[in-house]
Structures are given as structure tokens and as C-alpha cells.
Amino acid sequence: QVQLVESGGGLVQAGGSLRLSCAASGSIRRINVMGWYRQAPGKQRELVAAITTGANTNYADSVKGRFTISRDNAKNTVYLQMNSLKPEDTAVYYCNADAVNAITWARNNYWGQGTQVTVSS
């Protein structure tokens, strides 16, 4: 099994910055894509940013130029640097990983428990 633990959420004023971290642990042979999703109240969960093992990235249009995703493959950790935050960025942010189990070689999709980001105006 693979566990994802997020940290770094909190309350920040508009224009401020936060950095989210997500560490994967457990029976991991390989992690392919890692990403961040978010879900605001009453809305569907949406992709914020994703990054491959080779550091290819993909961003939602709403965060391009403000957010930066990165990863440390040796530590199985992904980060999301969020700058110029806006009230509409308020949501629960979830870490996601597409990982291969070290024992079974099964490939599955895993989610963290979520971390709240609140941006005040």
C-alpha cells in the first residue's frame, strides 16, 4: 500500500504565498505522475498541476504563472509553490500519485487526505 501525507496548508491573505508538500511512503516501486487537485465547496474536484518523473508539467489555466509544481524523486515528494494567491484559490488541496507497488507490481492511483487552503480578501 502507498500513503500520501500532505502538509503546508493554512490561511493567507490575498496576494500571499503558501507551499504545499506531499510525501509518499509505503511499498513503492515507482511513482509515475504526481499531482495536486483541489475541491472548493459545491464544486467538483479539479486538476491544479501535475508532474511526471521526467519533470514534465501541466497546469490548470487558472494557476499558470502563479503556481509551480516540483518533485524530489529520491524522496517521493511533490511540492506546490503557490504565489499571488486569490480568494478563488480557496479549497481543499489533494495530493495524487500514480504508483507501482514494489511487491505486487500493481499500478494504482492514490490520494492524500487533503489540506485546507483559505485565502482571505
Side-chain angles (χ1 to χ4, degrees):
Q1 195 60 286
V2 175
Q3 297 81 38
L4 302 178
V5 177
E6 300 122 333
S7 61
L11 173 64
V12 65
Q13 288 188 334
S17 299
L18 283 173
R19 187 186 193 218
L20 305 183
S21 299
C22 171
S25 62
S27 183
I28 301 170
R29 178 169 300 276
R30 181 181 69 251
I31 300 179
N32 299 316
V33 180
M34 299 188 81
W36 290 95
Y37 289 71
R38 67 186 180 187
Q39 187 166 20
K43 295 187 177 182
Q44 289 189 330
R45 190 173 297 188
E46 62 175 0
L47 174 69
V48 176
I51 185 168
T52 67
T53 305
N56 292 312
T57 58
N58 181 39
Y59 294 93
D61 288 342
S62 59
V63 307
K64 284 181 181 177
R66 301 188 297 122
F67 291 10
T68 302
I69 189 170
S70 60
R71 66 188 281 178
D72 184 331
N73 292 327
K75 296 181 179 180
N76 289 329
T77 300
V78 64
Y79 307 95
L80 186 68
Q81 178 66 44
M82 304 184 293
N83 298 328
S84 302
L85 282 160
K86 304 175 181 180
E88 51 263 44
D89 294 317
T90 296
V92 178
Y93 283 69
Y94 296 91
C95 178
N96 177 269
D98 174 38
V100 177
N101 188 289
I103 298 174
T104 66
W105 285 82
R107 179 180 176 180
N108 285 300
N109 197 257
Y110 298 92
W111 292 93
Q113 79 284 358
T115 184
Q116 177 70 46
V117 172
T118 302
V119 184
S120 63
S121 58

